[in-house]
Amino acid sequence: MRLGCRLQIEIKMSSNMLDTIPPEGCSPHQQNKPACPTLYRSIPIPAPSRVFSSQHASHDRISPRASSTPVEQPHQLPKMEEAMKRHFFHHGKPDTDPSEAEKCHWCQIRSFKTHKKLPITIVNEAKGDERKEVLNPDFKFIDHSIPSDDVPIAGASFRTGCNCADDEQCMYSTCECLDEMAPDSDEYMSDAPPARGRRMRKFQYYHSGTKAGLLKSRILDSREPIYECHDGCSCSKNCPNRVVERGRTVPLQIFRTKNRGWGVKCPVDIKKGQFVDKYLGEIITSEEANRRRAESTVSDKKDVYLFALDKFSDPDSPDPLLRAPPFEVDGELMSGPTRFINHSCDPNMRIFARVGDAVDKHVHDLALFAIRDIPAGEELTFDYVDGGLAEEDAGGLVPDDKKKDMTKCLCGTKKCRGFLW
């Protein structure tokens, strides 16, 4: 897809599931029960589960099944592959095979710093065959994107940051990190220069009151890139211009939908303009992305997970990395919870290009922000093509012979365009 501008599980159980979280380093045989019972109930039994249809575009979502069978009755437990059975029952023991832990999705997510305060929950309360869907054992949870060896990343000697003496200065034009941002039109509505000696605000977030830290409506509507301070700056970690850098601030839940595979929702309210999370994956070259598309049995399936980092692509750019074909993020087999977010033609979130150090424009972040208030429990969605389907297509003027090759949209909203691409 084109941006186009395109953790430690804490199990919050339903009535089917446990309500407790095993402590770090839990004993494998406490009270004569299998080690980490929560893990056993929430982490999938590895089994082939990647089913895709061109009629279910966003829909190759994958997640673990929540068993309603008591752990204390092994004869009633779902069937599991022998290769992982030992790890389930000996999870946390010192003699656990490290290779088993590397493949365990519980171990992957529990290692994230956000685990205790902002858990990722994974449930499958679907009925019938849908309840059998489990997490692909080849999928790996990560909490930051991973560049492949042939993706150039600038060294420390090439990095620069702002020299602001205090955090408040990072909201004004004197902050080097905001050099490429337009002046704050909420404060300056005319072309007249500011009064002599007065700093011009160039801040993209609300800075006070109940909206502090929320992305301004002007940015939400404009799709402008977001420029933030970063580790190379003099400001502190609490700088108001480090919203995305500080990371996710809400818990997320991956769940099984009725007809679109896996989806994501949040158990707490999200405000308009609030940062939700980043889309993560392996950062690869365009050549490698094309090779993976070609190898995929259904190219549309692969396109669901590929995002081109093309926001700053420019054939006339003095930066050779921006003149070249854009790098892409592949989240199919390694990503975070946002990899499971479904498409909607009337979404409640939008992806923005976020830049920290200017030398990283070619590998900028993909940050998801709420574009309206989202009540707790509502499915999180974004437009995979950001309205890219032509008006005539949405109006039903697509020739029948073209429709058969297009990917049908299943968002079900009143604004549904009928097709993704």
Side-chain angles (χ1 to χ4, degrees), residues 171-231:
M171 298 187 292
Y172 294 91
S173 56
T174 51
C175 178
E176 293 92 335
C177 294
L178 302 179
D179 281 347
E180 297 187 50
M181 270 204 69
D184 190 340
S185 59
D186 290 346
E187 194 162 314
Y188 298 99
M189 299 303 292
S190 71
D191 295 330
R196 183 167 184 169
R198 184 183 179 192
R199 296 176 297 177
M200 179 177 288
R201 190 184 297 279
K202 296 180 73 173
F203 197 45
Q204 57 231 330
Y205 300 107
Y206 291 104
H207 59 90
S208 62
T210 58
K211 291 186 177 182
L214 303 181
L215 197 63
K216 292 188 174 181
S217 297
R218 176 180 69 84
I219 307 295
L220 285 174
D221 296 336
S222 71
R223 297 171 172 80
E224 293 178 11
I226 297 169
Y227 297 91
E228 288 196 339
C229 296
H230 51 90
D231 285 342

Side-chain angles (χ1 to χ4, degrees), residues 26 78 176 181 184 217 247 255 291 352 361 367 371 373-374 399:
C26 59
E176 293 92 335
M181 270 204 69
D184 190 340
S217 297
F255 72 104
R291 186 191 67 79
F352 289 83
K361 279 186 173 180
I371 56 177
D373 290 339
I374 306 174

